[in-house]
Amino acid sequence: MKRFLLIFLISFTSLFGQKLKFDVMAKYITSSEKPSFEKSRSAYAISTNDNYIMQILNEYNGHQVAQVYDLKSLKMHQFDVEESKSENGIINYKFIYSNTRKFERTPVKDIYFDFQSVSIKDNVETVNLIFYKNKSKTKIVNVLELKILKSEVNLFPLFRYTCLHPSEFITELNYINGGLVTNCTTKNGSTKYILKAIEETNFEITIPN
């Protein structure tokens, strides 16, 4: 009986696809002095699985789409998003599958980096993220000072995706000690990344086979 149930569940998953639950959202504000600009970007993640990132975009006609990035298979699954409001005013979201396509990421061989812990105070760790020009790591390109609120959950991928272009899909660029990046400043202080919001979410999305 147990064997039959297992086979049934595997077949059921294969037939209807993989269900994902995005349970956390982070929004970061990026500001720069030269050139002067400020922009915000949000992303959704699965707190127990670093392989997926989702963003919801507003198109010019007011239509919303969700893009789910599978960082392991390098596939992007797009969904149309429909909103409805319940009688008690709660907004519900429905994700309707649209298409799947491959995407490319910056080659790992072109990115060299180190994380260096500087200090820990009141459960906040200061970490330097150092980028190098060469594989031997003798020529520094940039240094970012990160403030990371320590946590058992690793939310660094949310910061990487929203702030670290063109390295947003480099899964190796991951601070494995866990935590949430609350702010980040470049070495010369010209660019800053500030956490604007962090929220729990409950978005269930099924990716068809």
Side-chain angles (χ1 to χ4, degrees):
M1 181 65 182
K2 290 183 178 179
R3 183 179 179 184
F4 171 79
L5 180 60
L6 177 61
I7 294 174
F8 173 78
L9 290 175
I10 293 174
S11 300
F12 184 86
T13 302
S14 300
L15 179 63
F16 292 98
Q18 181 182 9
K19 181 175 289 187
L20 304 175
K21 182 177 179 179
F22 289 87
D23 57 358
V24 61
M25 183 279 291
K27 179 179 181 180
Y28 285 90
I29 301 293
T30 301
S31 60
S32 176
E33 295 178 357
K34 296 181 180 180
S36 178
F37 74 90
E38 182 175 291
K39 64 179 181 180
S40 64
R41 192 179 187 189
S42 303
Y44 299 80
I46 303 172
S47 59
T48 57
N49 190 336
D50 293 345
N51 289 329
Y52 296 93
I53 288 287
M54 178 178 75
Q55 65 173 349
I56 296 179
L57 303 174
N58 294 313
E59 297 188 326
Y60 68 93
N61 58 0
H63 182 65
Q64 284 188 321
V65 296
Q67 295 177 336
V68 178
Y69 291 93
D70 183 337
L71 306 182
K72 191 173 182 180
S73 66
L74 297 182
K75 291 182 179 179
M76 190 277 286
H77 310 280
Q78 184 158 303
F79 297 78
D80 294 320
V81 182
E82 292 185 356
E83 293 185 17
S84 62
K85 185 177 292 187
S86 62
E87 293 180 358
N88 55 5
I90 297 177
I91 298 177
N92 298 307
Y93 295 87
K94 184 178 181 181
F95 298 87
I96 304 170
Y97 175 76
S98 174
N99 62 79
T100 295
R101 59 181 181 267
K102 297 284 288 185
F103 70 91
E104 296 181 355
R105 66 176 190 168
T106 304
V108 177
K109 65 182 180 64
D110 293 339
I111 298 179
Y112 311 103
F113 59 89
D114 277 325
F115 288 98
Q116 292 184 356
S117 180
V118 177
S119 64
I120 301 178
K121 182 179 180 181
D122 297 330
N123 208 35
V124 175
E125 183 175 16
T126 300
V127 177
N128 284 339
L129 172 53
I130 306 171
F131 290 95
Y132 301 92
K133 186 177 182 179
N134 56 341
K135 187 176 181 179
S136 59
K137 298 181 178 180
T138 57
K139 298 179 180 180
I140 296 177
V141 177
N142 195 10
V143 178
L144 303 180
E145 183 185 82
L146 311 176
K147 299 292 184 181
I148 303 177
L149 180 64
K150 301 303 292 179
S151 168
E152 294 181 359
V153 179
N154 179 23
L155 297 175
F156 184 87
L158 278 171
F159 169 76
R160 181 188 66 220
Y161 178 78
T162 54
C163 300
L164 297 185
H165 181 75
S167 307
E168 59 264 58
F169 297 126
I170 306 299
T171 55
E172 291 79 6
L173 181 55
N174 190 8
Y175 194 54
I176 59 174
N177 289 346
L180 172 68
V181 177
T182 58
N183 61 73
C184 168
T185 307
T186 55
K187 185 178 181 179
N188 59 10
S190 62
T191 304
K192 297 180 180 180
Y193 310 90
I194 306 295
L195 177 68
K196 186 68 175 180
I198 181 76
E199 299 176 2
E200 291 184 2
T201 60
N202 186 24
F203 290 156
E204 290 191 354
I205 294 179
T206 300
I207 298 176
N209 293 320

Short mmCIF file of all heavy atoms in Angstrom, two decimals, residues 47-48 123 149-155 176-180:
data_model
loop_
_atom_site.label_atom_id
_atom_site.label_comp_id
_atom_site.label_asym_id
_atom_site.label_seq_id
_atom_site.Cartn_x
_atom_site.Cartn_y
_atom_site.Cartn_z
N SER A 47 12.37 30.52 1.45
CA SER A 47 13.35 30.57 2.53
C SER A 47 14.11 29.26 2.71
O SER A 47 15.21 29.26 3.27
CB SER A 47 12.67 30.95 3.85
OG SER A 47 11.66 30.01 4.19
N THR A 48 13.57 28.16 2.22
CA THR A 48 14.22 26.86 2.38
C THR A 48 14.89 26.36 1.10
O THR A 48 15.39 25.24 1.06
CB THR A 48 13.19 25.81 2.85
OG1 THR A 48 12.11 25.75 1.92
CG2 THR A 48 12.65 26.15 4.24
N ASN A 123 24.11 41.27 17.13
CA ASN A 123 23.54 40.34 16.15
C ASN A 123 23.61 40.86 14.71
O ASN A 123 22.93 40.35 13.82
CB ASN A 123 22.08 40.02 16.50
CG ASN A 123 21.67 38.64 15.99
OD1 ASN A 123 22.47 37.71 15.98
ND2 ASN A 123 20.42 38.51 15.58
N LEU A 149 22.03 41.20 9.21
CA LEU A 149 21.32 40.80 10.42
C LEU A 149 21.31 39.28 10.48
O LEU A 149 20.77 38.62 9.60
CB LEU A 149 19.89 41.34 10.39
CG LEU A 149 19.00 41.00 11.58
CD1 LEU A 149 19.55 41.61 12.86
CD2 LEU A 149 17.57 41.47 11.33
N LYS A 150 21.94 38.73 11.50
CA LYS A 150 22.12 37.29 11.58
C LYS A 150 20.78 36.57 11.72
O LYS A 150 19.87 37.03 12.40
CB LYS A 150 23.02 36.92 12.76
CG LYS A 150 24.41 37.56 12.69
CD LYS A 150 25.14 37.20 11.40
CE LYS A 150 25.50 35.73 11.34
NZ LYS A 150 26.19 35.39 10.06
N SER A 151 20.68 35.43 11.04
CA SER A 151 19.44 34.65 11.04
C SER A 151 19.78 33.22 10.63
O SER A 151 20.80 32.97 9.98
CB SER A 151 18.43 35.25 10.05
OG SER A 151 17.36 34.37 9.84
N GLU A 152 18.92 32.28 11.04
CA GLU A 152 19.10 30.90 10.61
C GLU A 152 18.75 30.74 9.14
O GLU A 152 19.17 29.78 8.50
CB GLU A 152 18.23 29.97 11.47
CG GLU A 152 18.65 29.91 12.93
CD GLU A 152 17.78 28.98 13.73
OE1 GLU A 152 16.84 28.40 13.14
OE2 GLU A 152 18.02 28.81 14.94
N VAL A 153 17.96 31.66 8.61
CA VAL A 153 17.55 31.61 7.21
C VAL A 153 18.50 32.44 6.36
O VAL A 153 18.84 33.57 6.72
CB VAL A 153 16.10 32.14 7.05
CG1 VAL A 153 15.69 32.11 5.59
CG2 VAL A 153 15.15 31.32 7.91
N ASN A 154 18.94 31.87 5.25
CA ASN A 154 19.85 32.58 4.36
C ASN A 154 19.05 33.39 3.34
O ASN A 154 18.46 32.82 2.42
CB ASN A 154 20.77 31.59 3.64
CG ASN A 154 21.72 32.31 2.69
OD1 ASN A 154 22.00 33.50 2.86
ND2 ASN A 154 22.21 31.60 1.69
N LEU A 155 19.05 34.72 3.49
CA LEU A 155 18.32 35.59 2.57
C LEU A 155 19.26 36.42 1.71
O LEU A 155 18.82 37.38 1.07
CB LEU A 155 17.38 36.50 3.36
CG LEU A 155 16.28 35.77 4.14
CD1 LEU A 155 15.47 36.74 4.98
CD2 LEU A 155 15.36 35.00 3.20
N ILE A 176 27.22 32.02 2.98
CA ILE A 176 26.58 30.82 3.53
C ILE A 176 26.30 30.90 5.03
O ILE A 176 25.59 30.04 5.57
CB ILE A 176 27.44 29.57 3.24
CG1 ILE A 176 28.83 29.73 3.86
CG2 ILE A 176 27.55 29.33 1.74
CD1 ILE A 176 29.69 28.47 3.74
N ASN A 177 26.82 31.91 5.74
CA ASN A 177 26.57 32.00 7.17
C ASN A 177 25.14 32.40 7.48
O ASN A 177 24.71 32.35 8.63
CB ASN A 177 27.53 33.00 7.82
CG ASN A 177 28.95 32.45 7.87
OD1 ASN A 177 29.16 31.26 7.66
ND2 ASN A 177 29.92 33.29 8.14
N GLY A 178 24.39 32.81 6.49
CA GLY A 178 22.98 33.14 6.68
C GLY A 178 22.78 34.56 7.18
O GLY A 178 23.69 35.22 7.66
N GLY A 179 21.53 35.01 7.06
CA GLY A 179 21.21 36.35 7.51
C GLY A 179 20.57 37.18 6.42
O GLY A 179 20.37 36.73 5.29
N LEU A 180 20.24 38.42 6.78
CA LEU A 180 19.58 39.36 5.88
C LEU A 180 20.41 40.62 5.75
O LEU A 180 20.74 41.27 6.74
CB LEU A 180 18.19 39.71 6.45
CG LEU A 180 17.41 40.82 5.74
CD1 LEU A 180 16.99 40.36 4.35
CD2 LEU A 180 16.19 41.22 6.57
#
